[in-house]
Amino acid sequence: MKKRIYLVLFMLVAMAGGYCLAQESKPVIEDFKPSTLNQPGKEYPMVNSQGYARFKIEAPQAQSVVVSLGLGGARGGTQLSKGADGTWMGTTAGPMDEGFHYYHLTIDGGVFNDPGALNFYGSTRWESGIEIPAHDQDFYALKDVPHGHVQQILFPSKSTGTSRRAFVYTPPCYSNDSKTHYPVLYLQHGWGEDETAWTNQGHANLIMDNLLAEGKIKPFIIVMTYGMTNEVRFGGMASFKIEPFQTVLIDELIPYVDAHFRTLADQPHRAMAGLSMGGMETHTITLNNPDVFSHYALLSGGTYKPEEIKDPSKVKLIFTSCGSKERPEGVLKSTEVLKAAGFNAVSYVSENTAHEFQTWRRSLKELAPLLFIDNKTK
Amino acid sequence: MKKRIYLVLFMLVAMAGGYCLAQESKPVIEDFKPSTLNQPGKEYPMVNSQGYARFKIEAPQAQSVVVSLGLGGARGGTQLSKGADGTWMGTTAGPMDEGFHYYHLTIDGGVFNDPGALNFYGSTRWESGIEIPAHDQDFYALKDVPHGHVQQILFPSKSTGTSRRAFVYTPPCYSNDSKTHYPVLYLQHGWGEDETAWTNQGHANLIMDNLLAEGKIKPFIIVMTYGMTNEVRFGGMASFKIEPFQTVLIDELIPYVDAHFRTLADQPHRAMAGLSMGGMETHTITLNNPDVFSHYALLSGGTYKPEEIKDPSKVKLIFTSCGSKERPEGVLKSTEVLKAAGFNAVSYVSENTAHEFQTWRRSLKELAPLLFIDNKTK
């Protein structure tokens, strides 16, 4: 029952889209530039240095064009206005939170994507995405450093009767020798997203490349797969069960990864983390499988209680995080309780972000240096 | 000058989208099913066993919704009609060619994608895609066979001042041992497409997996990168030059691939192929670099003349193909001329297809068994 409430919460928050409030009524600075997530060569949507977003849509005979972003003054979105040249334009009523936001257009009552923006899988569909430049964007920037590879694998899954897709990040050093074996982090997306989210929206590969180039972490492999294996996918919340995904992950994906990559294939060198609904999955699956994972991380995805953990000696790390605009009290309190019970527990709160990807990008950056630190690569 | 004419031709054909003619006026059979390229859980667009496509778009207050597919009776596309429930529906006037087609919607004068379909990069934008089931679709189907991996790499490019993306297909056996080295095919997309085309639209990885499972080819690596490095990208055809891309490919990508993958890093074990504009690039780059590539392939992308090739002893294979709805005479004739001049030349004509991906999927299937056959993997 508790699981269902979690899920409904995650869905509602995930579907709310870009969260913003027009807290200040400073004049809008006219330094708008194309969003970094625009399709090649596209000028709009644009963003300015304050975090406002501006949209421009061509649909000369349309009656109404609304962008799903920009609460505050224009609650429910940003209504665009038709100009003399037949294009529809508008600016959010206030600055948006830093980082990535999903959005879509409603044109004459129908839901479409912005032809100017790239698409990202969220809310069980490919949606438009926009990037509000963050003050700390450097940690996920594409830099002139050695880059790891992101491999699409198709692994056999008897339980679902098909070949399933996952993405595997291997660190830059992985292809330079043929002997070293590495620990593995299994990293899950949130409700309505899929296995593309952590690299497309999250820049997980660039975060890792940059941390490695700075010598801040030890190299490890990351595996990302699809976590919504049953009816929950399209809204059938009541039927959500962990078993179908747990079977795919534990009995099918992990053995495939261990057979096809140079992994350290044991519990001390395996971590699981997930955001939002992926955190709920991580919570359940790690507790069900104490001999599979040693490092646990929930990003805006709930908390652990000491009494849930049967054999504390097997747990190396419990990491819990969320945005400051979520409810950080729960995260902070539960971490204190875990610490008092003797666990290596760490909490992180992302400043001025909500239930969105900037929170999770930062969380991965904070989590990575804590993983596998007492291990040595073979 | 000749290059420019080629390019303009490729652009026009590429932009024409799904080519079809209502040759027969048989009654439409009501066995429509969701296209296999729909977004998860989406019912429309649908296709039937005859190759008709049916569309359904929600936009209750719109004045006009047109789908860019379906020549013949409804020249210029398929005009949808508004039903009593406010949704717009329509069926192509005739059957479409087998295979993959790009398309888009025009809603009240604006160009948008179909929310039901997945998007594919073509015509320098992410467009909707639809799949008309082909009689020979089995060769690119996802089957229960060992699957190779498709790796996204980011390789340093001094000439363009950034890290550039490529995708690398490694055969299933690649990750099973750490010693074998493999030949490499460099495979280029067409005008307006990018490095995602050959796996997304072309299913190049599945074609390889299936051919390998059937023992019809020897394993090799495929590398796919972006071939429109200068102004040609957004229509500046007059300024097209081969040098920027040639530098990226020859001086930057190939050395990176040879350093990070177990390749056979010499001319006899290197092939180049391209479709449409990528064929033009292949033609120029192979002739400019006789010591880099030994196997050449142009898919709907022009032909070779014997007198263009300075040292025939260095060329192991010349493969030329196109669809039967293009102009196969040129392909067939040039192959005869090459054969008469002593070259190992092979032509292939794809039946009942035009300048579209079904032609190129089939061409890859025909080309692969001819590559590197007199070589032994190390």
Side-chain angles (χ1 to χ4, degrees), chain A residues 10-262:
Chain A
F10 293 148
M11 279 184 71
L12 289 175
V13 180
M15 292 170 83
Y19 177 82
C20 98
L21 284 173
Q23 294 154 317
E24 308 155 57
S25 57
K26 288 180 189 165
V28 177
I29 300 170
E30 288 298 328
D31 59 355
F32 286 88
K33 288 176 191 166
S35 158
T36 55
L37 299 184
N38 284 2
Q39 294 199 25
K42 297 289 184 183
E43 211 182 354
Y44 284 88
M46 286 191 164
V47 293
N48 82 349
S49 57
Q50 298 162 293
Y52 285 79
R54 182 168 287 170
F55 304 89
K56 185 177 182 179
I57 303 295
E58 217 162 313
Q61 283 91 53
Q63 311 299 301
S64 160
V65 180
V66 181
V67 177
S68 65
L69 283 179
L71 303 179
R75 197 167 182 84
T78 300
Q79 175 84 50
L80 306 191
S81 307
K82 194 173 170 179
D85 64 349
T87 62
W88 294 79
M89 285 192 70
T91 306
T92 53
M96 311 276 300
D97 284 351
E98 292 185 337
F100 174 84
H101 306 282
Y102 295 106
Y103 74 100
H104 57 259
L105 312 174
T106 303
I107 301 172
D108 289 346
V111 172
F112 300 95
N113 285 333
D114 185 337
L118 290 175
N119 299 321
F120 300 85
Y121 199 73
S123 301
T124 73
R125 55 183 295 271
W126 287 91
E127 284 221 306
S128 299
I130 191 169
E131 182 77 22
I132 305 296
H135 73 281
D136 58 346
Q137 62 187 319
D138 191 63
F139 79 85
Y140 51 88
L142 176 67
K143 296 184 193 175
D144 185 17
V145 299
H147 293 290
H149 298 169
V150 178
Q151 310 199 21
Q152 175 193 286
I153 63 171
L154 296 169
F155 64 98
S157 165
K158 279 192 184 171
S159 72
T160 60
T162 184
S163 294
R164 302 188 68 84
R165 186 170 72 164
F167 290 98
V168 179
Y169 169 84
T170 54
C173 49
Y174 186 88
S175 56
N176 289 346
D177 84 285
S178 59
K179 286 173 190 165
T180 313
H181 288 240
Y182 297 88
V184 185
L185 164 64
Y186 289 81
L187 184 61
Q188 288 305 123
H189 59 81
W191 180 87
E193 296 170 342
D194 71 6
E195 65 274 23
T196 62
W198 265 108
T199 48
N200 282 358
Q201 290 94 303
H203 301 313
N205 53 325
L206 300 180
I207 293 171
M208 291 291 291
D209 292 344
N210 291 336
L211 287 170
L212 284 164
E214 291 170 20
K216 290 186 177 164
I217 62 169
K218 290 191 176 181
F220 57 86
I221 291 169
I222 301 180
V223 178
M224 299 152 279
T225 198
Y226 184 64
M228 298 169 74
T229 42
N230 65 4
E231 301 92 315
V232 66
R233 188 168 187 167
F234 304 109
M237 309 304 298
S239 62
F240 182 78
K241 287 182 191 135
I242 197 68
E243 288 75 16
F245 175 57
Q246 185 171 260
T247 300
V248 168
L249 179 68
I250 304 289
D251 300 340
E252 297 170 346
L253 178 56
I254 291 179
Y256 182 92
V257 169
D258 285 337
H260 290 81
F261 293 86
R262 297 194 312 278

Side-chain angles (χ1 to χ4, degrees), chain B residues 91-121:
Chain B
T91 306
T92 53
M96 311 275 300
D97 283 351
E98 292 185 336
F100 174 84
H101 306 281
Y102 295 107
Y103 73 101
H104 58 259
L105 311 174
T106 302
I107 301 173
D108 288 348
V111 172
F112 300 94
N113 285 334
D114 186 336
L118 290 173
N119 300 320
F120 300 85
Y121 199 74

Side-chain angles (χ1 to χ4, degrees), chain B residues 107-142:
Chain B
I107 301 173
D108 288 348
V111 172
F112 300 94
N113 285 334
D114 186 336
L118 290 173
N119 300 320
F120 300 85
Y121 199 74
S123 301
T124 75
R125 57 184 295 272
W126 287 91
E127 285 219 306
S128 299
I130 192 169
E131 182 78 22
I132 305 296
H135 73 281
D136 57 347
Q137 61 187 320
D138 190 64
F139 79 86
Y140 51 88
L142 176 66

